[in-house]
Amino acid sequence: MSLIRVITAAAELLDKTSRMRPGRSWDDPALEQALRQVRAGRLEPGLELVRQARDDHEVRALRVEQLGIAARAHTEALLRLAGDDPDALLWLGAARIQQAWAIRGGSYAAYVGDQRFARFHEVLADAAVPLRQAAEARPDDPVPWERLQWHALGAQAGRQELDRLWAELTARAPHLYLGHYTRVQVLCGKWYGSDDEVLAFARRAADAAPPGDPVTATLALAHFEVAWGRIGESERTAREILEGYFGDPEVARPLVAASDKWREGARPHPRALDAAHLFGAALYHGGHLTGAQRLLEDLGRRMPENQPWAVGSLLPGRHYARVRRDLGLA
């Protein structure tokens, strides 16, 4: 095992002592229960949840994403279950994507050996067919197109293909939260875009979002991507860079306005917790502590897997716990 993987594994173990719940920045009690069963190899409860969400794109996208993570060790069983069922095929494709990324690992490319890269691309290639079959079987479903974005990103399919997938997705669901999250990755400087392009996209998304829709937090996510890109470019600490970046009035004012637009019209949504974390973290680093406190006070220990609390730290749970103490929320 490489040194970086040992360090990462140790950090993950230590982070459990923060008592935070990484990977739970969403609200779907039925899904939370089914995930335990799926991880143990009982797939039918998960498939039923995907079926039940056919008419709710946001819930369906969330469930397919999370069930894909839970079933990544059970793709052979899922293949036997799938047949020509579009819901099972969608889940199978999502699980294969997660299986491929688990093989690759989270290390920088320089630390990933040739054999692991070859296996990563082999498994990833197998994900495309069931996703395309699911899209063909249910032409109005945006979720296969959302997952195909992640497939194309990993397969390095290029900007033209990713733009095509984005057009297919938004023709079916113009404000899908998870779709916008992935599109930000596509447009940021480390992939196929630039700081200017990803921020312009995020501003348009926030402006077009219905009041109370958490897709408004696309703006906060894009700003984090830009800020993270500056970490390591100077001798300043990650915290100093984030405070300087989000403390800039030209950054802060639109974020506060977008946060207010979302919060004042907030309605039940499975991704509301995610938006609260993104806006809360942005306001915290920008020194808007009252606003951050208001956004984070009801979230308790539920937090995203990494973003936005992994910045500058191998221990996102401990980072978030410290922020809550700073805000008097511990």
Side-chain angles (χ1 to χ4, degrees):
M1 182 180 289
S2 69
L3 177 60
I4 193 167
R5 292 181 70 190
V6 169
I7 293 171
T8 301
E12 290 172 351
L13 182 62
L14 284 170
D15 208 23
K16 293 179 181 178
T17 64
S18 70
R19 298 188 179 183
M20 294 299 165
R21 301 186 64 202
R24 289 294 187 271
S25 59
W26 41 264
D27 186 19
D28 188 337
L31 173 61
E32 193 146 8
Q33 181 176 355
L35 288 175
R36 292 190 290 270
Q37 296 171 299
V38 169
R39 281 192 288 265
R42 297 190 294 275
L43 302 180
E44 283 291 351
L47 182 55
E48 181 57 28
L49 285 188
V50 177
R51 288 184 181 131
Q52 289 174 5
R54 282 184 172 182
D55 296 325
D56 189 327
H57 297 156
E58 295 288 354
V59 172
R60 187 170 171 87
L62 168 65
R63 288 178 175 179
V64 168
E65 176 201 33
Q66 294 298 317
L67 288 166
I69 296 170
R72 65 190 181 192
H74 304 293
T75 54
E76 291 302 317
L78 193 49
L79 174 62
R80 292 191 293 271
L81 179 67
D84 59 357
D85 181 340
D87 300 302
L89 288 166
L90 172 57
W91 185 12
L92 172 61
R96 282 178 170 168
I97 290 173
Q98 296 296 338
Q99 181 187 24
W101 282 101
I103 291 168
R104 185 198 180 285
S107 302
Y108 291 110
Y111 297 100
V112 180
D114 292 342
Q115 288 186 335
R116 269 204 292 152
F117 256 132
R119 182 61 179 149
F120 164 69
H121 286 294
E122 179 184 344
V123 174
L124 192 65
D126 288 341
V129 172
L131 290 174
R132 291 178 184 133
Q133 290 173 329
E136 183 176 351
R138 299 196 71 247
D140 293 337
D141 188 359
V143 181
W145 300 101
E146 193 289 313
R147 290 291 84 186
L148 280 165
Q149 285 191 116
W150 269 114
H151 171 268
L153 199 59
Q156 299 179 326
R159 178 64 184 270
Q160 184 174 356
E161 173 63 6
L162 283 157
D163 288 350
R164 184 186 73 83
L165 294 173
W166 176 247
E168 294 281 4
L169 168 61
T170 52
R172 293 162 175 81
H175 304 297
L176 188 70
Y177 180 90
L178 194 57
H180 281 71
Y181 187 100
T182 308
R183 186 64 174 174
V184 165
Q185 311 312 310
V186 171
L187 296 180
C188 69
K190 64 186 176 184
W191 286 101
Y192 292 105
S194 65
D195 290 356
D196 288 343
E197 186 172 17
V198 74
L199 290 175
F201 164 77
R203 292 184 193 104
R204 291 194 301 271
D207 289 344
D213 193 318
V215 78
T216 310
T218 299
L219 182 60
L221 176 63
H223 275 296
F224 269 110
E225 288 290 348
V226 173
W228 293 334
R230 299 182 181 182
I231 294 173
E233 294 180 352
S234 73
E235 295 182 358
R236 292 186 300 161
T237 66
R239 182 163 185 165
E240 289 170 340
I241 289 171
L242 291 171
E243 288 176 352
Y245 182 89
F246 286 102
D248 181 345
E250 295 301 312
V251 172
R253 278 195 298 268
L255 279 170
V256 170
S259 172
D260 289 344
K261 176 183 177 180
W262 168 66
R263 190 176 58 83
E264 290 170 3
R267 50 189 169 80
H269 192 289
R271 294 288 185 170
L273 289 169
D274 223 22
H277 275 286
L278 283 165
F279 278 131
L283 267 58
Y284 169 80
H285 287 298
H288 296 269
L289 302 187
T290 300
Q293 184 183 57
R294 193 161 49 234
L295 287 160
L296 299 175
E297 61 185 347
D298 294 329
L299 303 190
R301 296 172 180 171
R302 298 170 71 91
M303 60 175 287
E305 188 71 38
N306 286 305
Q307 302 173 1
W309 303 114
V311 182
S313 172
L314 289 173
L315 306 172
R318 291 191 172 192
H319 182 191
Y320 176 49
R322 186 189 67 190
V323 169
R324 291 188 65 81
R325 289 195 298 272
D326 288 349
L327 297 174
L329 301 175

